[in-house]
């Protein structure tokens, strides 16, 4: 295992495991900066997994493709495979079994995810949409360490890092202008009453959802 120490001013460490490795990449800021470091540091094959959510019009897929193309350009690493699948409503119960096939066939040894911690409660209490990211709750911490459906190990290096630390990583790597604008964190949901008066942002950001407000808080801008 290769270890990369202090890759950001926050002193965040990242372990590079023996490959082939997999990474769940939504095209958001968190998983994109993680993929950047993996593509820079790992000489192993990288399998990138993106799931398009039909309920939210699969906007993230286009963003993830843009991110991957840019990272090939920035890192010079094309030893990757980008796998895109689709589901009606993205749930772990749908996603993990799909990824499990790669573990069963010994195609990947480990799955990286870019899940971060929530901002401080005094910040999120002011967000208009009164929910938080469910995968980041303490109740799911053990589940994220080991995904039974995959029979493999899930590594979440940003778990105790909030998005402001992610913003520091972009600044440290000089990616605020080249990579960050290509990422998309929006979770606009046309089926939710909350968005009745919000225009579909398509591949941009609605600016109203919990995830957009978190992004604005961390980076000071959406794009």
């Amino acid at each position: 295992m290769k270890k990369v120490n202090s890759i950001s001013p926050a002193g965040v460490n990242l372990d590079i495991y023996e490959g082939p490795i997999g990474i769940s990449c939504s095209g958001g800021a968190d998983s994109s900066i993680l993929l950047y470091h993996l593509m820079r540091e790992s000489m192993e094959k990288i399998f990138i997994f993106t799931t398009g959510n039909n309920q939210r019009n699969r906007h993230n897929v286009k963003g993830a493709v843009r991110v991957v193309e840019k990272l090939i350009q920035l890192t010079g690493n094309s030893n990757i495979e980008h796998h895109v699948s689709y589901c009606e409503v993205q749930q772990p119960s749908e996603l993990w079994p799909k990824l499990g096939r790669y573990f069963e066939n010994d195609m990947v040894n480990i799955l990286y995810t870019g899940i971060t911690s929530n901002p401080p409660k005094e910040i999120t209490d002011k967000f208009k949409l009164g929910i938080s990211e469910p995968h980041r709750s303490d109740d799911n911490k053990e589940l994220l360490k080991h995904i039974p459906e995959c029979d493999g190990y899930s590594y979440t290096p940003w778990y105790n890092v909030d998005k402001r630390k992610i913003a520091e990583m972009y600044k440290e790597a000089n990616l605020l202008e080249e990579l960050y604008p290509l990422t998309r964190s929006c979770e606009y949901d046309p089926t939710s009453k909350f968005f009745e008066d919000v225009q579909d942002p398509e591949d941009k950001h609605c600016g109203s959802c919990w995830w957009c407000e978190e992004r604005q808080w961390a980076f000071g801008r959406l794009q």
Side-chain angles (χ1 to χ4, degrees), residues 200-215:
D200 186 347
E202 297 184 352
D203 62 344
K204 302 299 182 182
H205 289 83
C206 73
S208 297
C209 70
W210 191 97
W211 298 267
C212 278
E213 292 203 84
E214 178 194 32
R215 185 177 171 104

Side-chain angles (χ1 to χ4, degrees), residues 181-221:
L182 301 180
T183 67
R184 183 180 187 276
S185 304
C186 183
E187 293 288 342
Y188 172 85
D189 183 355
T191 68
S192 169
K193 291 183 178 180
F194 177 84
F195 295 100
E196 285 181 348
D197 299 321
V198 178
Q199 185 175 358
D200 186 347
E202 297 184 352
D203 62 344
K204 302 299 182 182
H205 289 83
C206 73
S208 297
C209 70
W210 191 97
W211 298 267
C212 278
E213 292 203 84
E214 178 194 32
R215 185 177 171 104
Q216 181 71 46
W217 165 77
F219 286 87
R221 68 190 220 224

Side-chain angles (χ1 to χ4, degrees), residues 9-182:
V12 179
N13 295 329
L14 175 64
D15 293 337
I16 307 296
Y17 286 87
E18 292 183 1
I21 60 179
I23 176 173
S24 176
C25 182
S26 65
D30 307 334
S31 58
S32 295
I33 192 69
L34 176 56
L35 179 57
Y36 166 75
H37 285 293
L38 291 179
M39 288 177 67
R40 281 193 63 198
E41 301 295 338
S42 178
M43 297 296 104
E44 305 278 4
K45 183 88 162 193
I46 300 176
F47 290 83
I48 305 167
F49 305 107
T50 302
T51 300
N53 185 332
N54 293 337
Q55 182 180 1
R56 293 171 181 160
N57 297 324
R58 304 167 305 284
H59 292 320
N60 66 301
V61 171
K62 290 186 289 182
V65 170
R66 289 195 304 267
V67 163
V68 170
E69 288 293 327
K70 173 57 73 172
L71 291 181
I72 292 173
Q73 175 188 339
L74 291 173
T75 66
N77 185 354
S78 59
N79 189 23
I80 61 171
E81 287 187 18
H82 191 184
H83 295 252
V84 177
S85 60
Y86 299 94
C87 63
E88 193 57 37
V89 179
Q90 187 165 324
Q91 300 288 348
S93 59
E94 291 189 48
L95 177 60
W96 302 138
K98 290 179 181 179
L99 297 178
R101 292 195 293 269
Y102 293 90
F103 283 99
E104 290 169 4
N105 296 322
D106 296 321
M107 296 177 69
V108 297
N109 293 333
I110 188 169
L111 177 70
Y112 286 76
T113 73
I115 296 170
T116 58
S117 65
N118 288 321
K121 189 173 183 299
E122 61 267 23
I123 299 297
T124 58
D125 281 348
K126 298 175 183 177
F127 289 177
K128 290 174 286 187
L129 187 58
I131 63 172
S132 66
E133 172 57 69
H135 296 329
R136 302 179 191 173
S137 71
D138 289 338
D139 292 340
N140 285 310
K141 191 168 185 178
E142 291 304 316
L143 173 63
L144 290 168
K145 286 182 178 178
H146 182 268
I147 302 170
E149 291 87 343
C150 291
D151 192 27
Y153 186 76
S154 175
Y155 178 37
T156 57
W158 306 158
Y159 192 85
N160 294 312
V161 175
D162 67 33
K163 215 176 217 77
R164 280 205 167 166
K165 301 301 183 185
I166 299 296
E168 290 182 21
M169 293 183 197
Y170 274 82
K171 183 177 180 180
E172 174 77 2
N174 295 315
L175 294 175
L176 281 173
E177 303 307 324
E178 282 200 87
L179 179 62
Y180 175 68
L182 301 180

